[in-house]
Amino acid sequence: MTEQSADTPELSHVAGPDVPVADVLAAVQGWIDGNLPAAWRAAGEAGGPAAVRRVRTPAEYRAWYPAYGRSGLVAAGWEVRYGGLAWPRPTAAAVERLVARYHLPRLNPLGLNLAAPALFAHGTEEQRLRFLPPIVRAEELWCQLFSEPGSGSDLASLSTRAVRAGNGRAGDGRAGNGRASGDGWVINGQKIWTTWADQASFAVLLARTDPDVPKHQGITYFLIDMHQPGVQTRPLLHMGGEAEFFQVFLDGAVVPDAQRVGAEGAGWKVAQATLGGERQMVSGASSGGVDRVGGGSTRQLVRLARKLSADGQPGGWDDPAMRGRIVRLYCEERVRGWTNQRVRDQAAAKRAPGPESSIGKVHAAELNQRVQAAAADLLGAAGVAWPGDAGDPADYPRSMPAEIRGMLRSRANTIEGGTSEVNRNVLGERVLGLPKEPDPWRGKPWRELPRS
């Protein structure tokens, strides 16, 4: 039993590792019956997630989501004080199977999968209590400020600077801005490819605090308020016509020292927890929790192929070549799922994601591109041209078939979350123990490194 308070999850009365699974499932079903709108509940029980999507809009789900966040189900394996229910992995997995039919995706995936691992592995208790419960409830959305125009695959070469408030050694004359207290940091620089920066309240940020040491040693990890002077976001349209990514310009932005995670100069170590969580997050074969990595799963391929055959069209499920292609992709997706399960089990054991998370990321990125290419191929001529107002550029993304949008979006899968090339290096060096690639600049101060 857990003492109830305003911030205690509603299902905390069944929290803990010793509660029988049957009691937990009964309590969760009771919560669903009492909190889920009747139309959603009926649709889920009759037809599963696809039926729920037909009766519920994204806006309606976002409006209802605070109830889900308060329940504790969003992060059921976390401790109660952090917004979870302290359930062991087998119990949480049983609950996942129960609620799956109602299609309750987690909002705030970047907070849950990027910020939270770093806080668990390297944050203070004060930081966890301050930030984790609002992350669970999606009251504060998060983004990631890591990549820069000249520091993508070589992230450790980043040049965004953080200097102590009032410190005149910044080199650009902008260290003091009148807004930072003596225990704060002033940030100047530019970040790019930032997903959902326009919606975020906070971001995890890597900034250089010492340019006179090797590049991996002079980086510090911060939690930065995105709603402050000195933070400007600009959209980047991708070829699907959407503005999912943003540039972020930091001009005298301020971070209190209390929002530094880990020791000064130890940011690269802290960042590994975030990067491991990111690789795990984007290791699904379809949208998963992120909802934007590109298209549907192989189940959608089966539905499309069967519909083609039912309509008497060629190239569908009755085509042996197409059926074999889909079955091969399905088998790969199952293998990917098992690999991801091993990574999740490690996270449930309170261990930070390690290099093994790169296995799922590399495989899933290329697998998802093959899945989405197959979906586009199933459309045939409808995947080449479709009805729409050619005179209205804004109509282009709206009229695009979902399969084409997913195929276009999936092209980024082998780049985002660490390129496949970088992740193969991680596998070779950290998992297989192969020698590191030669680097003539290894051990040199960051200030001396060539940069684009």
Side-chain angles (χ1 to χ4, degrees):
M1 300 293 288
T2 304
E3 183 180 350
Q4 191 78 23
S5 71
D7 294 327
T8 301
E10 293 178 10
L11 288 170
S12 60
H13 62 286
V14 287
D18 300 323
V19 181
V21 174
D23 292 353
V24 171
L25 294 176
V28 171
Q29 187 64 61
W31 183 89
I32 290 171
D33 294 343
N35 289 273
L36 210 62
W40 304 0
R41 189 170 69 252
E45 292 169 355
V52 174
R53 284 191 288 268
R54 289 193 291 269
V55 301
R56 186 186 74 198
T57 68
E60 289 172 337
Y61 184 65
R62 287 192 296 270
W64 173 84
Y65 193 83
Y68 193 36
R70 291 191 299 268
S71 71
L73 292 171
V74 170
W78 293 7
E79 297 296 330
V80 171
R81 64 185 182 276
Y82 303 141
L85 295 165
W87 288 343
R89 179 67 197 173
T91 300
V95 171
E96 289 284 341
R97 292 191 291 271
L98 172 65
V99 303
R101 71 181 72 173
Y102 302 105
H103 186 51
L104 304 177
R106 292 166 173 82
L107 302 183
N108 204 15
L110 304 187
L112 290 165
N113 295 286
L114 306 188
L119 288 169
F120 278 124
H122 303 281
T124 66
E125 181 66 1
E126 291 76 14
Q127 289 170 339
R128 296 185 193 114
L129 292 173
R130 162 61 185 87
F131 290 109
L132 291 177
I135 284 175
V136 171
R137 299 190 294 263
E139 294 170 351
E140 294 171 344
L141 303 183
W142 285 71
C143 66
Q144 174 184 286
L145 299 179
F146 279 18
S147 295
E148 298 181 4
S151 301
S153 294
D154 184 15
L155 177 60
S157 69
L158 63 88
S159 59
T160 292
R161 290 295 311 279
V163 298
R164 291 277 186 179
N167 186 341
R169 296 179 297 161
D172 59 6
R174 293 184 293 170
N177 62 6
R179 295 189 295 111
S181 63
D183 65 347
W185 298 80
V186 181
I187 316 295
N188 290 289
Q190 179 185 357
K191 299 291 183 175
I192 201 167
W193 309 123
T194 303
T195 304
W196 303 324
D198 60 325
Q199 305 173 33
S201 300
F202 285 91
V204 294
L205 165 73
L206 289 183
R208 187 159 304 282
T209 49
D210 189 347
D212 297 315
V213 297
K215 60 184 181 181
H216 291 88
Q217 299 175 22
I219 296 171
T220 303
Y221 190 111
F222 298 98
L223 313 175
I224 186 171
D225 183 352
M226 294 290 288
H227 296 158
Q228 63 167 298
V231 177
Q232 181 186 19
T233 63
R234 297 180 189 172
L236 294 166
L237 290 176
H238 61 60
M239 60 184 176
E242 297 177 287
E244 176 187 344
F245 304 114
F246 291 79
Q247 298 183 81
V248 178
F249 297 89
L250 303 160
D251 186 7
V254 173
V255 181
D257 192 58
Q259 291 173 207
R260 169 177 50 82
V261 181
E264 180 180 344
W268 189 252
K269 179 180 179 181
V270 180
Q272 298 317 299
T274 290
L275 294 172
E278 181 180 32
R279 293 173 189 129
Q280 179 182 346
M281 181 181 67
V282 298
S283 289
S286 61
S287 58
V290 188
D291 200 33
R292 300 291 277 279
V293 300
S297 69
T298 54
R299 291 184 178 87
Q300 178 66 10
L301 293 183
V302 173
R303 286 192 289 269
L304 286 170
R306 285 178 170 168
K307 185 177 187 305
L308 275 179
S309 293
D311 293 343
Q313 300 296 318
W317 190 251
D318 291 341
D319 182 330
M322 178 56 74
R323 187 169 63 248
R325 181 181 177 185
I326 293 173
V327 169
R328 286 192 296 273
L329 292 170
Y330 172 81
C331 292
E332 282 196 69
E333 190 173 277
R334 290 299 303 273
V335 170
R336 183 270 311 159
W338 293 328
T339 301
N340 284 354
Q341 184 62 57
R342 289 196 294 271
V343 176
R344 286 194 294 269
D345 288 344
Q346 177 164 333
K350 298 292 192 297
R351 294 193 294 268
E356 64 275 6
S357 62
S358 295
I359 298 172
K361 200 280 178 182
V362 170
H363 179 220
E366 297 171 5
L367 168 60
N368 193 46
Q369 290 177 348
R370 294 195 297 273
V371 170
Q372 307 319 318
D377 288 347
L378 282 168
L379 294 184
V384 178
W386 48 87
D389 184 359
D392 181 5
D395 191 53
Y396 170 70
R398 289 196 300 266
S399 61
M400 182 184 296
E403 293 80 9
I404 299 302
R405 185 180 299 111
M407 182 271 292
L408 293 176
R409 176 61 181 83
S410 74
R411 305 321 300 168
N413 293 167
T414 48
I415 302 172
E416 60 195 343
T419 65
S420 289
E421 292 77 10
V422 167
N423 280 301
R424 283 189 167 92
N425 278 350
V426 171
L427 291 173
E429 295 173 4
R430 302 187 192 175
V431 178
L432 300 178
L434 299 177
K436 290 183 177 294
E437 288 190 343
D439 181 1
W441 300 98
R442 189 181 304 278
K444 300 288 187 181
W446 174 85
R447 193 186 294 279
E448 298 178 8
L449 302 184
R451 292 184 296 279
S452 59

